[in-house]
Amino acid sequence: MQAVSAGEKLSVAATPVPAAEILEFMKPALAKEGVDLEVVVFTDYIQPNQQVAQKNIMMNCFQHKPHLDTFNKQTGAKLVPVGYVYVPPLGAYSHKVKTLSDLPEGASVAIPNDTTNSTRALLLLEKGGLIKLKDPTDITATVLDITENPKKLVFKELEAATLPRVVDDVDLAVINTNYALEAKLNPKKDALVLEDAGSLYANLCATDPAYQDSPLVAKLMKEWHSPATVQFIEEKYKGTIIPVGLQQGELIKK
């Protein structure tokens, strides 16, 4: 077996759960392929793209394409997807009510404050029958696009990473799966409404165009979709993280 120190270095930015956990699992297999994988963990959704755009880190695995598109548009970066990896379904959680219909009038609802995930949260709440949006296909919708809000819900837009900590303080919180898992929330059991496997928000790995054809990137993406890694995801996350094929992105061309 080739020693890890003899491999070519591949640095990957990731959020702690599940991306970093999956990447850590993949390290031994990649070492056999001559890849020295360095997983750089971030707890926010900004730095992983900034670091790759600045070429401090070679690639990242943590986001969906609408988020990547927004980053590129806002910063002038040109990061590109190199493959899709899983769907982490967004869910709405509460410690105060057991069903969405139990929410009282004027209930407080916390949602992520970043552009794409706030829209994603509103689409989920529309799916749950709580609100109606002007255009349910608009992936840039904001709270200003709510046309019907029969329960007069009061929205609080907060940084995504803080949402698990405010569940006790609001009536409902819409939380990304990686942060929900970190907080020991089980999306399949605890979410009052949850995205399904057909979500437009499959997560991907991305890199600078200079690296998109790198053999190191290709080896990582091949290993991510290997039977061993897929089995690890299915057994560890028990359906709360759904593996997808490399081309899942064909569903999210917007």
Side-chain angles (χ1 to χ4, degrees):
M1 174 180 170
Q2 187 175 16
V4 172
S5 59
E8 293 185 82
K9 177 76 74 174
L10 172 60
S11 56
V12 182
T15 43
V17 181
E21 291 180 341
I22 299 169
L23 288 162
E24 290 290 342
F25 169 81
M26 292 162 54
K27 271 188 176 181
L30 287 168
K32 293 178 182 179
E33 296 293 323
V35 179
D36 178 5
L37 177 62
E38 177 190 9
V39 182
V40 186
V41 179
F42 294 93
T43 58
D44 68 275
Y45 291 158
I46 307 301
Q47 285 295 313
N49 275 333
Q50 288 181 339
Q51 293 297 316
V52 174
Q54 293 166 6
K55 297 186 180 178
N56 296 325
I57 296 174
M58 194 166 181
M59 63 184 294
N60 62 48
C61 300
F62 81 102
Q63 67 192 317
H64 47 65
K65 192 163 185 294
H67 183 81
L68 176 63
D69 289 344
T70 298
F71 174 81
N72 283 339
K73 182 177 180 179
Q74 291 179 344
T75 66
K78 297 180 180 179
L79 302 187
V80 293
V82 291
Y84 293 77
V85 288
Y86 53 72
V87 172
L90 191 72
Y93 302 84
S94 177
H95 288 168
K96 296 183 179 180
V97 298
K98 293 184 177 180
T99 68
L100 295 179
S101 61
D102 292 335
L103 284 170
E105 184 171 315
S108 56
V109 179
I111 64 174
N113 65 0
D114 59 287
T115 304
T116 52
N117 280 305
S118 63
T119 301
R120 187 180 176 190
L122 295 175
L123 293 172
L124 180 67
L125 296 175
E126 183 175 56
K127 174 186 174 183
L130 291 176
I131 61 172
K132 286 190 177 181
L133 296 168
K134 183 165 56 178
D135 179 0
T137 66
D138 181 6
I139 60 172
T140 64
T142 71
V143 292
L144 298 177
D145 296 305
I146 297 172
T147 57
E148 293 184 28
N149 182 7
K151 287 183 177 285
K152 298 181 174 60
L153 303 176
V154 177
F155 291 93
K156 300 177 181 294
E157 298 182 75
L158 305 171
E159 184 180 348
T162 69
L163 290 170
R165 300 198 291 272
V166 303
V167 176
D168 289 332
D169 302 321
V170 297
D171 295 294
L172 191 72
V174 182
I175 305 174
N176 293 80
T177 287
N178 59 312
Y179 295 130
L181 292 174
E182 287 179 52
K184 308 303 181 186
L185 292 168
N186 184 317
K188 288 188 71 175
K189 294 180 180 179
D190 300 327
L192 303 188
V193 61
L194 188 68
E195 289 178 327
D196 56 34
S199 168
L200 298 179
Y201 297 90
N203 276 26
L204 55 85
C205 294
T207 189
D208 185 270
Y211 301 130
Q212 70 181 112
D213 296 321
S214 164
L216 296 176
V217 171
K219 286 179 179 180
L220 183 139
M221 297 314 303
K222 181 179 178 180
E223 184 56 37
W224 200 306
H225 294 87
S226 70
T229 303
V230 170
Q231 182 179 359
F232 170 80
I233 294 170
E234 291 175 342
E235 291 180 353
K236 182 171 181 62
Y237 302 108
K238 303 185 187 306
T240 60
I241 298 295
I242 306 165
V244 298
L246 278 169
Q247 301 306 315
Q248 176 78 2
E250 292 300 312
L251 299 175
I252 52 173
K253 288 182 178 178
K254 292 183 180 180

